[in-house]
Amino acid sequence: MVKYILKNTIKTKDVFVIYNSFAYVYDNLTLDIDYPGWADFIEKIIHKNKKEASMVLELGCGTGSFGIEMSKRGYEMICLDLSSDMLDRAAEKAAEEGADILFLNQDMSSFELYGTVDVIVCLLDSFNYLIKPAQVQRMFRLVHNYLNPGGLFIFDVNTPYKFENILSNNIFYEVDDDIAYIWENEYNPKTRKARFDLTFFVRDGQLYRRFDETHFERAYDEGEIMQFINQSGLKFISVYDHLTLRKPSLKSERNFYVCRKD
């Protein structure tokens, strides 16, 4: 049974609603993400830094692909996201896969659990969606509060280099038979904030339905992140380049940080 908590009410998702625009196309836009490979990497970090871990919390789970993969590997998963539409899709996928996951409709900067967990992860740009440092500080305090002693917090960030040199003020697009999109970026290096304007055209019978989305992210440098870690009481363990155990370079686009609660 897939459990889904919305506004503190437990519901079994027997009937699923039509998702909002972004949730509807999200899985199509992330077909290139190797979720088993991501799970392999996170497990490698867990085994490297902690002998045992059974309960894992994912902050900003989106449509649940990573959580489902971890559930298949025997982890007891709690997956949290602010978007109820994303969670609708995640719960449907989990039911199809027979994955027993608890989904929580909460903000990752102000979440509440019933108990503690062994590992907390925040992946795939979710950290960058917290555009106010105060939100990040609250999230770190809550992570420290809900981790078991010896527990790990593993998160990735899009680096300032990626915002300034890859995303920047560029325009990306892709055209497929069923979905086409235009992704226009606007990055302010002074505020380190990025605005992403996305326009989608999704096939609906013989026609295409258009909808628009606007997303915001913020770049955080290593100094800021280390300050958040130290303020929270967590202990910094290491930082890695994208899906490797190598140290990041000046041109790394995504870095993974590992912290522990002593």
Side-chain angles (χ1 to χ4, degrees), residues 170-209:
N170 291 321
I171 298 175
F172 304 93
Y173 68 91
E174 184 168 329
V175 178
D176 203 348
D177 290 339
D178 295 320
I179 297 176
Y181 71 85
I182 302 169
W183 172 4
E184 184 174 1
N185 297 334
E186 181 181 331
Y187 179 65
N188 186 329
K190 292 184 178 179
T191 63
R192 294 187 181 177
K193 293 180 181 178
R195 172 178 173 139
F196 306 143
D197 290 315
L198 300 99
T199 299
F200 298 94
F201 297 91
V202 180
R203 181 186 290 275
D204 185 5
Q206 298 299 314
L207 303 176
Y208 284 84
R209 181 166 54 91

Short mmCIF file of all heavy atoms in Angstrom, two decimals, residues 170-209:
data_model
loop_
_atom_site.label_atom_id
_atom_site.label_comp_id
_atom_site.label_asym_id
_atom_site.label_seq_id
_atom_site.Cartn_x
_atom_site.Cartn_y
_atom_site.Cartn_z
N ASN A 170 21.34 31.55 -21.34
CA ASN A 170 21.17 30.76 -22.56
C ASN A 170 19.73 30.30 -22.75
O ASN A 170 18.92 30.31 -21.82
CB ASN A 170 22.10 29.54 -22.53
CG ASN A 170 23.55 29.93 -22.66
OD1 ASN A 170 23.89 30.83 -23.43
ND2 ASN A 170 24.43 29.27 -21.92
N ILE A 171 19.47 29.85 -23.96
CA ILE A 171 18.17 29.27 -24.31
C ILE A 171 18.40 27.84 -24.78
O ILE A 171 19.27 27.59 -25.62
CB ILE A 171 17.47 30.09 -25.40
CG1 ILE A 171 17.18 31.52 -24.90
CG2 ILE A 171 16.16 29.41 -25.83
CD1 ILE A 171 16.59 32.42 -25.97
N PHE A 172 17.64 26.92 -24.22
CA PHE A 172 17.71 25.51 -24.62
C PHE A 172 16.35 25.11 -25.19
O PHE A 172 15.32 25.67 -24.81
CB PHE A 172 18.05 24.62 -23.43
CG PHE A 172 19.33 25.00 -22.72
CD1 PHE A 172 19.31 25.84 -21.62
CD2 PHE A 172 20.55 24.51 -23.16
CE1 PHE A 172 20.48 26.19 -20.97
CE2 PHE A 172 21.73 24.85 -22.52
CZ PHE A 172 21.70 25.70 -21.41
N TYR A 173 16.38 24.12 -26.07
CA TYR A 173 15.11 23.64 -26.61
C TYR A 173 15.26 22.18 -27.03
O TYR A 173 16.37 21.68 -27.23
CB TYR A 173 14.66 24.48 -27.81
CG TYR A 173 15.53 24.33 -29.03
CD1 TYR A 173 15.26 23.36 -30.01
CD2 TYR A 173 16.64 25.15 -29.22
CE1 TYR A 173 16.06 23.22 -31.13
CE2 TYR A 173 17.45 25.02 -30.33
CZ TYR A 173 17.16 24.05 -31.28
OH TYR A 173 17.96 23.91 -32.38
N GLU A 174 14.13 21.52 -27.13
CA GLU A 174 14.09 20.15 -27.61
C GLU A 174 12.75 19.92 -28.29
O GLU A 174 11.71 20.36 -27.77
CB GLU A 174 14.31 19.15 -26.48
CG GLU A 174 14.38 17.70 -26.94
CD GLU A 174 14.86 16.76 -25.85
OE1 GLU A 174 15.65 17.18 -25.00
OE2 GLU A 174 14.43 15.60 -25.87
N VAL A 175 12.78 19.23 -29.40
CA VAL A 175 11.56 18.95 -30.15
C VAL A 175 11.42 17.45 -30.31
O VAL A 175 12.31 16.79 -30.83
CB VAL A 175 11.58 19.64 -31.53
CG1 VAL A 175 10.30 19.30 -32.30
CG2 VAL A 175 11.74 21.14 -31.38
N ASP A 176 10.31 16.90 -29.82
CA ASP A 176 10.01 15.48 -29.95
C ASP A 176 8.61 15.36 -30.54
O ASP A 176 7.87 16.36 -30.66
CB ASP A 176 10.10 14.80 -28.59
CG ASP A 176 10.35 13.30 -28.71
OD1 ASP A 176 10.24 12.78 -29.83
OD2 ASP A 176 10.65 12.67 -27.69
N ASP A 177 8.22 14.15 -30.87
CA ASP A 177 6.90 13.95 -31.47
C ASP A 177 5.78 14.29 -30.50
O ASP A 177 4.74 14.83 -30.91
CB ASP A 177 6.73 12.50 -31.94
CG ASP A 177 7.60 12.18 -33.15
OD1 ASP A 177 8.00 13.14 -33.84
OD2 ASP A 177 7.88 10.99 -33.38
N ASP A 178 5.98 13.97 -29.22
CA ASP A 178 4.92 14.17 -28.24
C ASP A 178 5.10 15.42 -27.39
O ASP A 178 4.13 15.99 -26.91
CB ASP A 178 4.81 12.95 -27.32
CG ASP A 178 4.39 11.70 -28.07
OD1 ASP A 178 3.52 11.82 -28.94
OD2 ASP A 178 4.95 10.62 -27.80
N ILE A 179 6.35 15.82 -27.15
CA ILE A 179 6.63 16.97 -26.30
C ILE A 179 7.73 17.82 -26.93
O ILE A 179 8.75 17.30 -27.38
CB ILE A 179 7.06 16.55 -24.89
CG1 ILE A 179 5.95 15.78 -24.18
CG2 ILE A 179 7.44 17.77 -24.05
CD1 ILE A 179 6.36 15.27 -22.81
N ALA A 180 7.51 19.12 -26.95
CA ALA A 180 8.55 20.07 -27.34
C ALA A 180 8.60 21.15 -26.26
O ALA A 180 7.59 21.48 -25.65
CB ALA A 180 8.24 20.69 -28.70
N TYR A 181 9.82 21.66 -26.00
CA TYR A 181 9.91 22.72 -25.00
C TYR A 181 11.00 23.73 -25.37
O TYR A 181 11.95 23.43 -26.09
CB TYR A 181 10.17 22.15 -23.61
CG TYR A 181 11.55 21.57 -23.39
CD1 TYR A 181 12.63 22.38 -23.02
CD2 TYR A 181 11.79 20.21 -23.54
CE1 TYR A 181 13.88 21.85 -22.80
CE2 TYR A 181 13.05 19.67 -23.32
CZ TYR A 181 14.09 20.50 -22.96
OH TYR A 181 15.34 19.98 -22.75
N ILE A 182 10.82 24.93 -24.86
CA ILE A 182 11.80 26.00 -24.94
C ILE A 182 12.11 26.42 -23.51
O ILE A 182 11.20 26.70 -22.71
CB ILE A 182 11.26 27.21 -25.73
CG1 ILE A 182 10.86 26.78 -27.14
CG2 ILE A 182 12.31 28.32 -25.80
CD1 ILE A 182 10.09 27.85 -27.89
N TRP A 183 13.40 26.46 -23.17
CA TRP A 183 13.84 26.75 -21.80
C TRP A 183 14.75 27.97 -21.86
O TRP A 183 15.86 27.92 -22.37
CB TRP A 183 14.57 25.53 -21.25
CG TRP A 183 15.25 25.69 -19.92
CD1 TRP A 183 15.24 26.78 -19.10
CD2 TRP A 183 16.04 24.70 -19.25
NE1 TRP A 183 15.98 26.55 -17.99
CE2 TRP A 183 16.48 25.28 -18.04
CE3 TRP A 183 16.42 23.40 -19.57
CZ2 TRP A 183 17.29 24.60 -17.15
CZ3 TRP A 183 17.22 22.72 -18.68
CH2 TRP A 183 17.65 23.30 -17.48
N GLU A 184 14.27 29.09 -21.36
CA GLU A 184 15.01 30.35 -21.41
C GLU A 184 15.50 30.72 -20.01
O GLU A 184 14.71 30.78 -19.06
CB GLU A 184 14.13 31.47 -21.98
CG GLU A 184 14.85 32.78 -22.15
CD GLU A 184 14.01 33.83 -22.85
OE1 GLU A 184 12.84 33.52 -23.18
OE2 GLU A 184 14.51 34.95 -23.07
N ASN A 185 16.79 30.97 -19.88
CA ASN A 185 17.40 31.27 -18.58
C ASN A 185 17.71 32.75 -18.45
O ASN A 185 18.05 33.43 -19.42
CB ASN A 185 18.71 30.50 -18.39
CG ASN A 185 18.51 29.01 -18.39
OD1 ASN A 185 17.45 28.52 -18.06
ND2 ASN A 185 19.54 28.28 -18.78
N GLU A 186 17.66 33.20 -17.20
CA GLU A 186 18.10 34.56 -16.88
C GLU A 186 18.83 34.47 -15.54
O GLU A 186 18.21 34.14 -14.52
CB GLU A 186 16.93 35.52 -16.80
CG GLU A 186 17.33 36.96 -16.49
CD GLU A 186 16.14 37.89 -16.40
OE1 GLU A 186 15.12 37.61 -17.07
OE2 GLU A 186 16.21 38.89 -15.66
N TYR A 187 20.13 34.73 -15.53
CA TYR A 187 20.93 34.60 -14.32
C TYR A 187 21.53 35.95 -13.91
O TYR A 187 22.12 36.64 -14.74
CB TYR A 187 22.05 33.59 -14.51
CG TYR A 187 22.92 33.41 -13.28
CD1 TYR A 187 22.39 32.87 -12.11
CD2 TYR A 187 24.26 33.81 -13.28
CE1 TYR A 187 23.17 32.71 -10.98
CE2 TYR A 187 25.05 33.65 -12.15
CZ TYR A 187 24.50 33.11 -10.99
OH TYR A 187 25.27 32.96 -9.86
N ASN A 188 21.36 36.29 -12.62
CA ASN A 188 21.91 37.53 -12.08
C ASN A 188 23.10 37.18 -11.19
O ASN A 188 22.91 36.64 -10.09
CB ASN A 188 20.84 38.27 -11.27
CG ASN A 188 21.32 39.64 -10.79
OD1 ASN A 188 22.50 39.84 -10.54
ND2 ASN A 188 20.40 40.57 -10.65
N PRO A 189 24.33 37.46 -11.62
CA PRO A 189 25.50 37.07 -10.83
C PRO A 189 25.62 37.81 -9.50
O PRO A 189 26.28 37.33 -8.58
CB PRO A 189 26.68 37.40 -11.76
CG PRO A 189 26.16 38.40 -12.71
CD PRO A 189 24.71 38.09 -12.90
N LYS A 190 24.98 38.98 -9.38
CA LYS A 190 25.05 39.73 -8.12
C LYS A 190 24.20 39.07 -7.04
O LYS A 190 24.62 38.93 -5.90
CB LYS A 190 24.60 41.18 -8.35
CG LYS A 190 25.56 41.99 -9.22
CD LYS A 190 25.11 43.43 -9.33
CE LYS A 190 26.11 44.24 -10.16
NZ LYS A 190 25.68 45.66 -10.31
N THR A 191 22.98 38.68 -7.40
CA THR A 191 22.09 38.03 -6.43
C THR A 191 22.26 36.52 -6.43
O THR A 191 21.76 35.83 -5.55
CB THR A 191 20.63 38.36 -6.74
OG1 THR A 191 20.29 37.83 -8.03
CG2 THR A 191 20.40 39.87 -6.74
N ARG A 192 22.95 35.99 -7.48
CA ARG A 192 23.14 34.55 -7.69
C ARG A 192 21.81 33.82 -7.89
O ARG A 192 21.70 32.62 -7.60
CB ARG A 192 23.92 33.92 -6.54
CG ARG A 192 25.35 34.41 -6.43
CD ARG A 192 26.08 33.62 -5.37
NE ARG A 192 27.46 34.09 -5.24
CZ ARG A 192 28.32 33.62 -4.36
NH1 ARG A 192 27.95 32.67 -3.53
NH2 ARG A 192 29.54 34.08 -4.30
N LYS A 193 20.83 34.52 -8.37
CA LYS A 193 19.52 33.91 -8.59
C LYS A 193 19.29 33.71 -10.09
O LYS A 193 19.66 34.56 -10.90
CB LYS A 193 18.41 34.77 -7.99
CG LYS A 193 18.45 34.83 -6.48
CD LYS A 193 17.33 35.69 -5.92
CE LYS A 193 17.41 35.77 -4.39
NZ LYS A 193 16.34 36.65 -3.84
N ALA A 194 18.68 32.59 -10.41
CA ALA A 194 18.37 32.26 -11.79
C ALA A 194 16.87 32.09 -11.96
O ALA A 194 16.20 31.53 -11.09
CB ALA A 194 19.09 30.97 -12.21
N ARG A 195 16.38 32.58 -13.07
CA ARG A 195 14.97 32.41 -13.44
C ARG A 195 14.92 31.55 -14.69
O ARG A 195 15.61 31.83 -15.68
CB ARG A 195 14.32 33.76 -13.70
CG ARG A 195 12.90 33.65 -14.26
CD ARG A 195 12.29 35.01 -14.47
NE ARG A 195 11.01 34.91 -15.16
CZ ARG A 195 9.93 35.62 -14.85
NH1 ARG A 195 9.98 36.49 -13.86
NH2 ARG A 195 8.81 35.46 -15.52
N PHE A 196 14.11 30.50 -14.63
CA PHE A 196 13.95 29.61 -15.78
C PHE A 196 12.51 29.72 -16.29
O PHE A 196 11.57 29.37 -15.58
CB PHE A 196 14.22 28.15 -15.39
CG PHE A 196 15.56 27.92 -14.73
CD1 PHE A 196 15.68 27.00 -13.71
CD2 PHE A 196 16.68 28.62 -15.13
CE1 PHE A 196 16.90 26.77 -13.09
CE2 PHE A 196 17.91 28.40 -14.53
CZ PHE A 196 18.03 27.47 -13.50
N ASP A 197 12.34 30.21 -17.49
CA ASP A 197 11.02 30.29 -18.12
C ASP A 197 10.92 29.14 -19.11
O ASP A 197 11.69 29.07 -20.08
CB ASP A 197 10.83 31.63 -18.82
CG ASP A 197 10.70 32.77 -17.84
OD1 ASP A 197 9.96 32.63 -16.86
OD2 ASP A 197 11.36 33.81 -18.05
N LEU A 198 9.97 28.25 -18.89
CA LEU A 198 9.81 27.07 -19.74
C LEU A 198 8.44 27.11 -20.42
O LEU A 198 7.42 27.36 -19.78
CB LEU A 198 9.92 25.79 -18.91
CG LEU A 198 11.24 25.57 -18.17
CD1 LEU A 198 11.10 25.98 -16.71
CD2 LEU A 198 11.67 24.12 -18.25
N THR A 199 8.46 26.88 -21.71
CA THR A 199 7.23 26.77 -22.49
C THR A 199 7.17 25.37 -23.09
O THR A 199 8.12 24.94 -23.76
CB THR A 199 7.19 27.82 -23.61
OG1 THR A 199 7.23 29.13 -23.04
CG2 THR A 199 5.91 27.67 -24.43
N PHE A 200 6.08 24.66 -22.83
CA PHE A 200 5.90 23.29 -23.29
C PHE A 200 4.78 23.21 -24.31
O PHE A 200 3.78 23.93 -24.21
CB PHE A 200 5.54 22.36 -22.12
CG PHE A 200 6.58 22.28 -21.05
CD1 PHE A 200 6.52 23.11 -19.94
CD2 PHE A 200 7.62 21.36 -21.13
CE1 PHE A 200 7.47 23.03 -18.94
CE2 PHE A 200 8.58 21.28 -20.15
CZ PHE A 200 8.50 22.11 -19.05
N PHE A 201 4.96 22.32 -25.27
CA PHE A 201 3.90 21.97 -26.22
C PHE A 201 3.74 20.46 -26.15
O PHE A 201 4.65 19.71 -26.52
CB PHE A 201 4.27 22.41 -27.63
CG PHE A 201 4.43 23.90 -27.77
CD1 PHE A 201 5.68 24.50 -27.58
CD2 PHE A 201 3.34 24.71 -28.08
CE1 PHE A 201 5.83 25.87 -27.69
CE2 PHE A 201 3.50 26.09 -28.19
CZ PHE A 201 4.75 26.66 -28.01
N VAL A 202 2.60 20.01 -25.65
CA VAL A 202 2.37 18.59 -25.40
C VAL A 202 1.25 18.09 -26.32
O VAL A 202 0.19 18.71 -26.42
CB VAL A 202 1.97 18.34 -23.92
CG1 VAL A 202 1.73 16.86 -23.68
CG2 VAL A 202 3.06 18.87 -23.00
N ARG A 203 1.53 16.99 -27.01
CA ARG A 203 0.54 16.45 -27.94
C ARG A 203 -0.75 16.06 -27.21
O ARG A 203 -0.72 15.39 -26.18
CB ARG A 203 1.09 15.23 -28.66
CG ARG A 203 0.11 14.63 -29.68
CD ARG A 203 0.63 13.34 -30.27
NE ARG A 203 1.76 13.56 -31.15
CZ ARG A 203 1.66 13.89 -32.43
NH1 ARG A 203 0.46 14.04 -32.98
NH2 ARG A 203 2.74 14.06 -33.17
N ASP A 204 -1.86 16.52 -27.74
CA ASP A 204 -3.18 16.19 -27.21
C ASP A 204 -4.04 15.80 -28.40
O ASP A 204 -4.69 16.64 -29.02
CB ASP A 204 -3.77 17.38 -26.45
CG ASP A 204 -5.09 17.04 -25.79
OD1 ASP A 204 -5.50 15.86 -25.83
OD2 ASP A 204 -5.72 17.96 -25.22
N GLY A 205 -4.02 14.51 -28.77
CA GLY A 205 -4.71 14.07 -29.97
C GLY A 205 -3.97 14.54 -31.21
O GLY A 205 -2.78 14.33 -31.36
N GLN A 206 -4.67 15.26 -32.08
CA GLN A 206 -4.06 15.79 -33.29
C GLN A 206 -3.47 17.19 -33.08
O GLN A 206 -2.85 17.74 -33.99
CB GLN A 206 -5.12 15.84 -34.41
CG GLN A 206 -5.67 14.48 -34.79
CD GLN A 206 -4.59 13.55 -35.30
OE1 GLN A 206 -3.75 13.94 -36.13
NE2 GLN A 206 -4.58 12.32 -34.80
N LEU A 207 -3.67 17.74 -31.89
CA LEU A 207 -3.20 19.10 -31.61
C LEU A 207 -2.13 19.06 -30.51
O LEU A 207 -1.86 18.02 -29.92
CB LEU A 207 -4.38 19.98 -31.17
CG LEU A 207 -5.55 20.08 -32.16
CD1 LEU A 207 -6.67 20.91 -31.54
CD2 LEU A 207 -5.09 20.70 -33.47
N TYR A 208 -1.54 20.21 -30.23
CA TYR A 208 -0.58 20.36 -29.14
C TYR A 208 -1.11 21.38 -28.15
O TYR A 208 -1.62 22.44 -28.54
CB TYR A 208 0.78 20.82 -29.67
CG TYR A 208 1.57 19.72 -30.34
CD1 TYR A 208 1.34 19.42 -31.69
CD2 TYR A 208 2.51 18.98 -29.64
CE1 TYR A 208 2.05 18.41 -32.31
CE2 TYR A 208 3.22 17.96 -30.26
CZ TYR A 208 2.98 17.68 -31.60
OH TYR A 208 3.68 16.67 -32.20
N ARG A 209 -1.02 21.04 -26.88
CA ARG A 209 -1.46 21.93 -25.81
C ARG A 209 -0.25 22.66 -25.25
O ARG A 209 0.76 22.06 -24.92
CB ARG A 209 -2.15 21.12 -24.72
CG ARG A 209 -2.68 21.93 -23.55
CD ARG A 209 -3.63 21.09 -22.70
NE ARG A 209 -3.01 19.84 -22.29
CZ ARG A 209 -2.32 19.68 -21.15
NH1 ARG A 209 -2.14 20.72 -20.34
NH2 ARG A 209 -1.80 18.51 -20.82
#
